[in-house]
Amino acid sequence: MTKDCRKWGVGARTVRPDAEAKVRGEALYLADMKVNGMLHAALVTSPVASGHIESLGLDHVREEPGVQIVLSADDLRGANQIGIIFDDQPLLAAGRVRMVGERLALIAADSEEQAWAAVRAAKPQIAAEPGVFDVADALSPNAPKVHDSGNLIKEFVMHRGHMDDIESRADLVIEGEYRIGGQEHAYMEGQGAIVIPGPGGTLTVYSSTQCPFYVRQRICRMTGLAEADVRVVQTVTGGAFGGKEDYPDEPACCAAVLALRAHRPVRLVLPREVDFQGSTKRHRMVVRHQLYALNSGRILGAKVEILVDAGAYAGMSTVVAERANSSCIGPYHVDAVQVSTKVCYTNNLFGGPFRGFGAPQVSAAHEQQMNRLAWKLGLDPVAVRRTNLLNHDRPTLATGEVLPCADMGPKTLDEAVFHSKWQPRWNESVKSVAGVIDPEAQGDRYRDGMGVGTIVYGCSLHHGGLLLDRGGASMILQADGTVNVAIGVTEMGQGALAAARAIASQGLGISQERIRVREVDSAMVPDSGPTVASRATLIAGRAIMDATKILADRLRNIAADLLGRVPAPQLEFGNDRITDPVSGRFVSFSEAVTALYGRRENPAAVGWFRPPDREYDDESGQGGAYIFYAFATQVARVRVDTWTGMVQVRQVTAAHDVGRAIHPPSLEGQIQGGVVQSMGWATMEDLLLDQGVLQNPGFTNYHIPTATDAPDVRIVLLEEGTPEGPYGAKGIGEPSFIPGGAAILGAVSDALGIELTELPLTPQRVRMAVEAAQTSSPEGK
Amino acid sequence: MEYYRPTSVEDAVQILGRSPGAACMAGGTDLVVAMRSHKRGPHAIVDLSGLGLDTWIFDDASNRPAKVKTQGTKKAGNDEQRLGPGWRIGATVTMAVLKTLEDEDNLGVGLLADAASQVGATQIQNRATAGGNLCNGSPAADAVCAMVALDALIEIAGPTGAETMPIGKFLLGPGRVNLEPGQFLTGIFVPAHDMKKSSVALQEYRKVGSRTSLVIAVAGLAARTVLDKGKVVESRLALSSVAPTCIRATEAEAYLTGGPLSPDRIREASHLAREEARPITDLRATDQYRKEMVSALVTDHLTRAAALAQ
Amino acid sequence: MQPKPIEEVTVTINGRKERLAVDPAKRLLDVLREDLGLTGTKEGCGKGECGACTVLIDGRPVNSCLVLVGSVDGHEVLTIEGLAQPDAAMHPVQQAFVEQGAIQCGFCTPGAVLTAVSLVDSQPAADEEAIRRYMAGNLCRCTGYTKIVSAVKTAYEILSERKGAGRRKKEC
Ligand SMILES: Cc1cc2nc3c(=O)[nH]c(=O)nc-3n(C[C@H](O)[C@H](O)[C@H](O)COP(=O)(O)OP(=O)(O)OC[C@H]3O[C@@H](n4cnc5c(N)ncnc54)[C@H](O)[C@@H]3O)c2cc1C
Ligand code: FES
Ligand code: FES
């Protein structure tokens, strides 16, 4: 097979624009930057999850060497409020603390070491009070109240069809309660910000963030500064995964209030342990799922109750829950559903966005429910999925939305099943109890299994976030034929710059090398909303297409003149030329640009993309939740050591409905990385909490996959396009993660013949399940 | 903080003698972590990397007096012990070097090499030393577990001169080793455990943890099983992470020695070993799980040893 | 004579001999980043767990966050900046990482590249399993490791091509 070695346009396998600077160690991340006169900030935080502050114990802190400024809630001049959706979160605790790691005071000192040494001199006195540590208890009437308003932050629902009708028609009901664990993002670069005060009360903020416009908004609210006076520049960002959506605003706000007080630049870089304890996490969820079905394997509907552990502050938990609520039925056709998703305060870790945004947790549940239905009926789990997946005959999602691409679900399933050589063991008659530690049972020690996860993912923001769902790009044709592009969405490793460059290159028909795309500077591009929900390529891509169209039309007229009375509309862009397909004559792109400059025409354009309006009803959870949908199926092949409980994920086959591969190497990288991150979440990443205190706040005991743990990832791309996406592209960042946990949960269950309902499947948890099965089985000892 | 990098054992002894708040540092992979997390704050650091203790030799005992004085704890008094051939390993020999120790004749050191190859990952192995693994006093120390299995001797220097002590006397408990103020470890001696030509041996280190590399053992087993004509002639089972120090499963060893590796006997030995473990529950695992892992590790090892004998 | 504490450190960094009047108990990582401005070496955890701070000492990869600079007195340190000068061609391992798309956020990259350099320098060949084991101390949260492993394989190919052992198949 000859590879496509094109250097222009979408689909070209080019080298990422940021690769060389990174591989040479030249890329500047936040902590690599120094500013003259800079102070270093540190945080005094609460060691207690719930309590009243008796005293902050800061008396000696001011005398510590190098300390310049110490601020507590009483010293703040602006609003002590950083809640992003609800006004429930102070920048610095006042009176009461609700989580471990909550900020009590800010310190700025001459050096980083001095700042953190001063933190150790603080002796806060906090009278501990009872807290809520299990989301399942949060709503009980005698649970302590995390906030005076009560522990229920918000409830989302979804109602469709008649539940009584399917209850009476169903032959069987599969009931399950799933306890799904949280996850630390574990971006390799921790959180931080540098704030530089400028003349006239302006601020320049450097931030490792995926949402510079959120940083700006929250700093402005805290300080009262105007948006035009606060310039937020995104630094090269060392991973984010949702962890740098809203949380970076907090260190940025801390540095900002200190910088304004000190009239000096302030840098805050969180040490890993502080970051682990205080920053957002994937939500723990409890999912109670009742699946109504016929003996044929056809499902009629489901009743689902989801409890979302938001932690002590709402943050973006409601938005995450909204996606969980809309996703909890999966890609299946149903007659009726009744879903309730309750987002609750607890005194646990701070919940927030994380790749998949609530969907991985509910997908693990709905997929295991499908498996259990299959096993109960003696059917192949894949067959049960085929019976129920949406397709062109039944294209309506549980949210009531009709999907034009409904056939992509079965297609991803077929591809994944074929390429993975799907062969589960559940239907084998071997159902003997595994895991008996005995010399004569050595042969049955390792059990192989396979599991499948199929999902449908709504790309970009939910209807609830429609207001933010738009974005811009500005473009300048330089006189020498090179091009600058500024976009409002961020590169955090996923390849946004490479994708933007490919799209610009396609729009102008020029080689990618001519194009420079820069990281976001809030003063240069319009607010384009958050870089989340796999929307970067869509939003930036469509905005760039808008801009390239404006520029291409100008160049087309010029080229038509240069070629001599050729009808402009028929000219084609490509290969660094503007060509008349009829005569085959062309002008080079550079010539056309030179002519444009010669005529003193405008070489710049600002493109804009505004997804169409949609109707959605919160009361019923029905309507146009998302702009369009992407399907995915992943099949996991595992080997379980039944003696130790260790799960080895050997292979994951990932079939994705990507629309179009804009920059193939980045797309593959997203899938490979998403699969491994999901595998870590499902098998080893365990946030161990004791009364809200994280017991493993670092990589020593919070284990993420190493090179020897990562499975072999096989990728199957389905490129059938979508009219709304740029050149047909959908989104991949989140879909790459979502089905993996479900597939692994199914695969381990398949291997053991045990219907597991918890994640992560740590060795100890798996071993305990094996032992429980032994005691309950007649064959067991 | 003062930083010393002595170039002779005598100098090191002198510095340690006059600065009581000093800490020895070999590779620093434990010490620096402890200092960063403020668990330790020594007044001075005595960097042992300049002492030339970073080499090993095989000593065939031809130039050695037949008996060497080995000293236990003060209470236990002195014993005389015959020292045969073996490996003299400097205190600052790294895991990267240990793991290259070859043991074609199955004299034991291969077990130490196997354990060393499972410490941390590449970068850690290039710094972590044999002496540091011992003196850190962790019950989870992989190389130490192998040394315990092999009855290594500990060589110590100090103000009162050099001493040698059995490893069992050296390890006192979590974070505690038998060093008097001013003393430090200069090396270890791993005796060669000879076996007959007709014998077969399985020696290996295995650990259980939540991932496949860069992981501290939840339970570990350093084992050496030698069989001759179907019977166990030498049994060494040392366990890590299931007691206050790395320990030997002495009852299981005694039970195994002299008999064949039948399924029944493996069952019984693994049961004995399990009962000898005294694990605690911590954030890495429960005591119950750790006990189970002792059964799993011992059964697994012995079953494969039995297969080897066939 | 009484042994004295050391007060300055002489070390060869990226081929240049430096006499550093720094606290010998300072971490090598901090000396590189703060005193020498070599910020290509990253700090991801400060505990020896992530490998972002990997540098080569006498050709062997170590976690510079666990190395006190006093202990490298008289040794040679290579950081990512010393692997290839800014205007010089990239090292074959760097070239392979770029070609294979083994770089996403890039935070783990300098450390991973240096570990890979020591692998290709110290072992004439390595299979997939050996590569993965050797690289296990370099955590990467973005790539899932597939492309990093391919990059190391490619680096071996580039090196053997340079030695004249036939041309490798290039993607483009
Ligand atoms: C990321 C990471 C992973 C790890 N993984 C493992 C693992 O898998 N298995 C494992 O067993 N260990 C592991 N360790 C722990 C550590 O690497 C080992 O214990 C190592 O052998 C310690 O050796 P060192 O030379 O670095 O010790 P140092 O840190 O230099 O010293 C450790 C302690 O011993 C003292 N000391 C050192 N040498 C002497 C001496 N000669 N005489 C007297 N006292 C001395 C020091 O004062 C200190 O208290 C890991 C550590 C890290 C950071
Ligand atoms: S920073 Fe040194 S290993 Fe993580
Ligand atoms: S590329 Fe981001 S951590 Fe490796």
Side-chain angles (χ1 to χ4, degrees), chain B residues 22-295:
Chain B
C24 288
M25 183 179 81
T29 59
D30 282 317
L31 182 68
V32 177
V33 172
M35 283 164 53
R36 292 289 296 178
S37 51
H38 308 283
K39 290 191 184 114
R40 291 190 64 179
H43 302 305
I45 286 178
V46 183
D47 178 345
L48 305 178
S49 63
L51 302 181
L53 299 175
D54 54 353
T55 56
W56 61 272
I57 50 158
F58 183 74
D59 181 347
D60 61 10
S62 51
N63 297 322
R64 217 180 309 124
K67 287 191 175 170
V68 175
K69 224 181 188 183
T70 68
Q71 198 178 50
T73 52
K74 296 271 151 29
K75 278 154 268 149
N78 297 349
D79 333 84
E80 296 265 296
Q81 191 177 320
R82 279 186 62 92
L83 276 194
W87 287 263
R88 308 199 146 271
I89 296 170
T92 61
V93 169
T94 61
M95 300 297 162
V97 172
L98 285 183
K99 75 176 183 185
T100 62
L101 289 175
E102 281 170 19
D103 189 11
E104 277 154 25
D105 299 329
N106 281 325
L107 300 180
V109 85
L111 173 53
L112 179 56
D114 193 17
S117 74
Q118 294 172 54
V119 170
T122 309
Q123 290 92 323
I124 294 291
Q125 288 172 10
N126 281 330
R127 297 294 287 181
T129 65
N133 208 227
L134 274 162
C135 296
N136 191 50
S138 164
D142 298 320
V144 173
C145 190
M147 295 177 207
V148 167
L150 296 170
D151 286 321
L153 296 174
I154 306 302
E155 295 166 351
I156 294 167
T160 54
E163 290 180 31
T164 305
M165 109 177 33
I167 190 164
K169 302 243 163 74
F170 184 72
L171 304 172
L172 300 179
R176 292 191 308 121
V177 293
N178 196 353
L179 286 175
E180 300 289 328
Q183 284 190 322
F184 70 99
L185 188 145
T186 51
I188 58 170
F189 177 76
V190 178
H193 300 280
D194 214 352
M195 59 183 227
K196 285 200 215 143
K197 282 269 172 298
S198 58
S199 301
V200 287
L202 182 63
Q203 50 182 20
E204 59 181 359
Y205 181 72
R206 297 266 166 134
K207 64 178 170 180
V208 177
S210 69
R211 63 181 173 191
T212 52
S213 16
L214 203 58
V215 69
I216 304 289
V218 154
L221 171 71
R224 172 176 161 89
T225 302
V226 182
L227 290 133
D228 196 68
K229 302 195 185 68
K231 291 216 170 98
V232 175
V233 292
E234 185 185 338
S235 170
R236 298 175 175 274
L237 302 170
L239 302 170
S240 60
S241 258
V242 294
T245 64
C246 292
I247 56 162
R248 290 283 280 274
T250 45
E251 287 179 32
E253 290 174 354
Y255 172 80
L256 285 168
T257 309
L261 280 180
S262 65
D264 278 342
R265 292 180 59 82
I266 292 176
R267 239 170 247 136
E268 179 60 18
S270 110
H271 175 75
L272 288 171
R274 180 196 167 102
E275 293 311 305
E276 286 178 86
R278 288 167 283 131
I280 55 161
T281 295
D282 65 9
L283 64 113
R284 292 190 183 112
T286 62
D287 53 356
Q288 266 312 308
Y289 180 73
R290 288 193 153 99
K291 278 194 165 243
E292 284 289 295
M293 291 312 100
V294 172
S295 302

Side-chain angles (χ1 to χ4, degrees), chain A residues 423-437:
Chain A
Q423 197 173 25
R425 75 178 265 142
W426 192 271
N427 292 328
E428 292 171 22
S429 53
V430 219
K431 274 297 191 314
S432 61
V433 178
V436 180
I437 299 173

Side-chain angles (χ1 to χ4, degrees), chain A residues 120 437-440 442 445 643-644 646 684 688 695-696 699 701 703-704 706 708-709 763-764 767 771, chain B residues 38 208-215 263 266-267 283-286 289 292-293 295-296 299-300 303-304:
Chain A
R120 287 189 296 279
I437 299 173
D438 188 86
E440 287 172 303
Q442 178 96 345
R445 171 173 177 178
W643 288 13
T644 62
M646 180 96 173
M684 66 176 79
L688 303 168
Q695 304 296 297
N696 50 346
F699 294 126
N701 288 310
H703 288 156
I704 66 170
T706 71
T708 58
D709 301 298
Q764 183 168 305
R767 179 65 203 167
E771 280 170 30
Chain B
H38 308 283
V208 177
S210 69
R211 63 181 173 191
T212 52
S213 16
L214 203 58
V215 69
I266 292 176
R267 239 170 247 136
L283 64 113
R284 292 190 183 112
T286 62
Y289 180 73
E292 284 289 295
M293 291 312 100
S295 302
T299 307
D300 174 67
T303 310
R304 280 180 299 104

